[in-house]
Amino acid sequence: MSKTTVSAPANIAFIKYWGARDLARALPMNPSISMTLKACVSRCTVEVTGADHDEVWLSEPDGGFTHPGADFVRRVVEQLDHLRAWSGRGEHFRVATRNTFPSSAGLASSASGFSALTLATVGALGKTATTPPAELSRLARRSGSGSAARSVLGGYVGWPAGTLDEAAEEEGSYAVQLAPASHWDLRDVIAVVETGAKTVSSRDGHRRAATSPYYERRLELLPGRLDVVRRALAAADLTLLGPTLEEEAIDLHLIAMSSHPPIFYWSPGTLEVLRTVRELRQEGLAAWATMDAGANVHVICDPAAEPAVAERLESLPAVGFVIRDGVGDGPVYETGHLF
Amino acid sequence: MSKTTVSAPANIAFIKYWGARDLARALPMNPSISMTLKACVSRCTVEVTGADHDEVWLSEPDGGFTHPGADFVRRVVEQLDHLRAWSGRGEHFRVATRNTFPSSAGLASSASGFSALTLATVGALGKTATTPPAELSRLARRSGSGSAARSVLGGYVGWPAGTLDEAAEEEGSYAVQLAPASHWDLRDVIAVVETGAKTVSSRDGHRRAATSPYYERRLELLPGRLDVVRRALAAADLTLLGPTLEEEAIDLHLIAMSSHPPIFYWSPGTLEVLRTVRELRQEGLAAWATMDAGANVHVICDPAAEPAVAERLESLPAVGFVIRDGVGDGPVYETGHLF
């Protein structure tokens, strides 16, 4: 199978990856836990060609193709280089990719994008059947988008599987499924308050994390939070999950804002949404907010609360639009291709 | 002199008082440094009466008087009790007070209000001439509004004078002038984004400060920041002061947001102003932001930058109005009275 198309979803972290021991290899300073999404996906087609270089295209909704920026192409080709080295093969590829959601706005487009690229390339090399999930996760991680390691799996995902120490180990640093999507039907109502690219990349954020005077203390706090999230997942208990979810999201931004130089990912709309989520809780709805390294807010709730949460968030002037998403089963190998 | 009127200014802290060893006596966990303002003042008239109870009035701009809320009256009467105990006198007072700026919106109205009340009451008791400044500062502090200890002095003010340890001592806990207003003509352009009372009082914020997992680390960071601010004051060097000023302001809010339960003082407009101040700097203007426990933003700049800073902030949709203030000489004993 020399041409493979994979749709891979974004994920939203309950415990955040923030700061790396080795940024190039995406070895994280701390374990993270995420929920794989369903609606927010990147679709990627990869084909082995006889050419002496890689071709990288963005696929447009109208069916046309455009050239991506040089930085994007460089990151894709670096990952293709990793996969050539891993497979011992020298061929080049034609790649086309498309997101169903705004890129680079803190909606983990690099997680879904590099997950889809990795799986599609492994497929194009004919190695899908012989590569175990842990290896696929490691390969996706090596893209440099660490959270791509989580997007190759569905449901609820931990990365790495085990302890803080394992996070430092190349061998140990892959994601595992903690529970399938069917275990707990959680919804994620995403309030999009900014669609432009963020001014500071996640990569720069990871790089600066340790310059925050509070970063070491954050790492001390994480084992307790990880324990709460694992217990909440096991019991499917949103009331247990929610406060830690929200505390952890704020924490990432506290570290960013106290880094040197400081990073401000929040926009005015972010605060408006956070305030509204607190109001929703006061009105009795079980809904908690989380954010990645960006301005948009993911509101985690159960299916019963989802319509009311979505309606309220859509009514806010600062919210451009709302994406109603939820936990998903992970990447899908498609029969149709982008080219 | 049985009737005394004092106008006392608000102040804006460069290093914040946040967290108390003894909240009732306003013994702070850490030293603070502030600039006394000029335009934002509370005016208070106190008269000794023959009555068996205190009368407390709010003076309105139209010359009329209204009854303040019960909580306000209670705090005023408690301070009058302190001053009766201190003076060994038993008389009761008639008190009227008026602010030139929105109350309870993070513009330090309790600092100016309790400073004015304290100085006017000491005056009404005929003890102004025999009470040294340190004692006036201690008395103002005992109102429970710790920053009132700084508002009895003009220019640039440190509280307490010395070390962290002294902050714990009742005797040592008064403010001193570090430099007169004439030493450095700094301006404070206040962007008012909210005029309503904040939902969590400073007092509750002080109470919760130590519940933040980052509070101890904050205290460790403060000696370094205090040193920078003292050196910047001595050299009248805004480029040295600015980054520490802004870092310290963010820090107060990081502690508030990571307290249990968390406190969010910022409003969407706060972030819009902070973003604009960063843009102003990119355009070459020396302007740095600071906030107290509230949503409004104080933009510290030199006189040359003030008009451009004020114009830009006024143009922001989220900014209701701008107050152009600056360093002032401290409280003034007025010849006219409120009643």
Side-chain angles (χ1 to χ4, degrees):
Chain A
M1 181 161 47
S2 72
K3 189 185 213 177
T4 304
T5 298
V6 174
S7 284
N11 67 79
I12 178 66
F14 296 168
I15 299 289
K16 310 293 182 184
Y17 160 43
W18 200 241
R21 287 169 200 270
D22 180 334
L23 192 59
R25 294 195 299 158
L27 294 177
M29 284 294 284
N30 67 279
S32 52
I33 294 178
S34 60
M35 173 172 102
T36 300
L37 299 180
K38 189 157 51 181
C40 290
V41 299
S42 295
R43 196 156 170 243
C44 182
T45 297
V46 177
E47 184 176 28
V48 176
T49 66
D52 62 353
H53 65 281
D54 299 312
E55 272 178 62
V56 182
W57 297 94
L58 287 179
S59 164
E60 298 296 326
D62 63 7
F65 292 90
T66 57
H67 285 290
D71 193 55
F72 182 88
V73 172
R74 184 186 52 73
R75 288 190 66 191
V76 168
V77 171
E78 276 176 12
Q79 177 67 349
L80 296 176
D81 286 340
H82 286 141
L83 294 167
R84 273 186 281 266
W86 165 77
S87 64
R89 302 261 295 268
E91 292 99 325
H92 287 82
F93 303 95
R94 182 175 298 122
V95 172
T97 187
R98 181 195 292 169
N99 288 336
T100 65
F101 57 100
S103 298
S104 302
L107 289 181
S109 62
S110 66
S112 56
F114 281 106
S115 167
L117 173 71
T118 303
L119 297 177
T121 307
V122 170
L125 290 167
K127 295 178 75 79
T128 299
T130 55
T131 309
E135 183 69 5
L136 292 172
S137 174
R138 286 186 62 242
L139 289 171
R141 197 204 80 225
R142 283 304 310 271
S143 69
S145 171
S147 52
R150 298 189 307 243
S151 268
V152 302
L153 298 157
Y156 301 90
V157 176
W159 167 51
T163 65
L164 205 70
D165 290 338
E166 283 177 33
E169 303 289 334
E170 163 76 12
E171 284 304 313
S173 203
Y174 55 81
V176 296
Q177 189 182 69
L178 302 177
S182 59
H183 171 68
W184 193 8
D185 184 11
L186 274 184
R187 303 297 165 89
D188 177 7
V189 180
I190 310 170
V192 178
V193 297
E194 274 193 16
T195 53
K198 53 201 180 199
T199 51
V200 179
S201 68
S202 298
R203 190 166 267 233
D204 276 344
H206 287 300
R207 200 173 276 131
R208 287 187 216 168
T211 68
S212 164
Y214 300 123
Y215 189 65
E216 275 184 49
R217 182 77 179 112
R218 163 173 166 73
L219 293 180
E220 291 170 8
L221 299 169
L222 279 177
R225 284 196 199 134
L226 284 158
D227 181 58
V228 170
V229 170
R230 285 202 193 93
R231 285 190 289 121
L233 279 179
D237 183 344
L238 184 54
T239 311
L240 178 60
L241 177 66
T244 297
L245 179 83
E246 204 160 299
E247 178 179 303
E248 166 67 3
I250 301 292
D251 211 50
L252 182 156
H253 291 269
L254 302 192
I255 297 298
M257 288 190 279
S258 56
S259 294
H260 291 275
I263 309 172
F264 297 90
Y265 287 118
W266 291 350
S267 72
T270 308
L271 287 188
E272 198 176 323
V273 174
L274 289 177
R275 186 183 282 181
T276 302
V277 171
R278 291 194 295 272
E279 288 169 6
L280 286 169
R281 281 205 296 277
Q282 281 165 1
E283 295 164 21
L285 281 175
W288 278 270
T290 182
M291 297 89 73
D292 281 335
N296 298 320
V297 184
H298 296 248
V299 183
I300 307 298
C301 59
D302 58 28
E306 187 197 339
V309 169
E311 190 184 348
R312 182 73 71 88
L313 296 180
E314 268 164 358
S315 75
L316 297 177
V319 173
F321 59 96
V322 153
I323 299 171
R324 290 168 73 154
D325 210 333
V327 64
D329 290 317
V332 173
Y333 292 80
E334 307 269 2
T335 50
H337 301 299
L338 289 172
F339 58 84
Chain B
M1 180 160 46
S2 72
K3 189 186 214 175
T4 304
T5 298
V6 173
S7 284
N11 66 79
I12 178 67
F14 295 168
I15 299 288
K16 310 294 182 183
Y17 160 43
W18 199 241
R21 287 169 200 271
D22 180 334
L23 193 59
R25 294 194 301 158
L27 293 176
M29 284 294 284
N30 66 280
S32 53
I33 295 179
S34 60
M35 173 172 102
T36 300
L37 299 180
K38 189 158 52 182
C40 290
V41 298
S42 296
R43 196 154 171 243
C44 182
T45 298
V46 177
E47 183 175 30
V48 175
T49 66
D52 62 354
H53 65 280
D54 298 312
E55 271 178 62
V56 182
W57 297 94
L58 286 180
S59 165
E60 299 295 326
D62 65 5
F65 292 91
T66 56
H67 285 290
D71 192 58
F72 181 89
V73 172
R74 185 187 51 74
R75 289 191 65 189
V76 168
V77 170
E78 276 177 13
Q79 177 66 349
L80 296 175
D81 286 340
H82 285 142
L83 295 166
R84 274 187 281 266
W86 165 78
S87 64
R89 302 261 296 268
E91 293 98 325
H92 286 83
F93 303 95
R94 181 175 299 121
V95 172
T97 187
R98 181 195 293 169
N99 288 336
T100 65
F101 57 100
S103 298
S104 302
L107 290 181
S109 61
S110 66
S112 56
F114 282 106
S115 167
L117 173 71
T118 303
L119 297 177
T121 307
V122 170
L125 290 166
K127 294 178 76 78
T128 299
T130 55
T131 309
E135 183 70 4
L136 291 172
S137 173
R138 286 186 63 244
L139 290 170
R141 195 204 80 224
R142 284 304 309 273
S143 68
S145 171
S147 52
R150 298 188 307 240
S151 268
V152 303
L153 298 157
Y156 300 90
V157 176
W159 168 52
T163 65
L164 204 69
D165 290 338
E166 282 178 33
E169 303 289 335
E170 163 76 11
E171 285 303 314
S173 202
Y174 56 82
V176 296
Q177 189 182 71
L178 303 177
S182 59
H183 170 67
W184 193 8
D185 183 9
L186 273 185
R187 303 296 166 87
D188 178 7
V189 180
I190 309 171
V192 178
V193 296
E194 274 192 15
T195 53
K198 54 200 176 197
T199 51
V200 179
S201 69
S202 298
R203 189 166 269 233
D204 277 343
H206 287 301
R207 200 173 277 130
R208 286 188 218 168
T211 69
S212 164
Y214 300 124
Y215 188 65
E216 276 184 49
R217 182 77 180 113
R218 163 172 166 75
L219 294 181
E220 291 171 8
L221 298 169
L222 279 176
R225 283 194 200 137
L226 284 158
D227 182 57
V228 170
V229 171
R230 284 200 192 95
R231 285 190 289 122
L233 279 179
D237 182 345
L238 183 54
T239 311
L240 179 60
L241 177 67
T244 298
L245 178 83
E246 205 161 297
E247 177 179 302
E248 167 67 3
I250 300 292
D251 210 51
L252 181 156
H253 291 270
L254 300 193
I255 296 297
M257 288 190 279
S258 56
S259 294
H260 292 274
I263 309 172
F264 297 90
Y265 287 118
W266 291 349
S267 72
T270 308
L271 287 188
E272 197 174 323
V273 174
L274 289 177
R275 186 183 282 183
T276 302
V277 171
R278 293 194 294 273
E279 288 169 4
L280 287 169
R281 281 205 297 277
Q282 280 164 2
E283 295 164 21
L285 281 175
W288 278 269
T290 183
M291 298 89 73
D292 282 334
N296 298 319
V297 184
H298 297 248
V299 182
I300 306 298
C301 58
D302 59 27
E306 187 197 339
V309 169
E311 192 184 346
R312 181 73 70 89
L313 296 180
E314 269 164 358
S315 75
L316 296 177
V319 173
F321 59 96
V322 153
I323 300 170
R324 291 170 71 153
D325 209 333
V327 64
D329 290 318
V332 173
Y333 292 81
E334 306 269 2
T335 50
H337 302 299
L338 289 172
F339 58 84

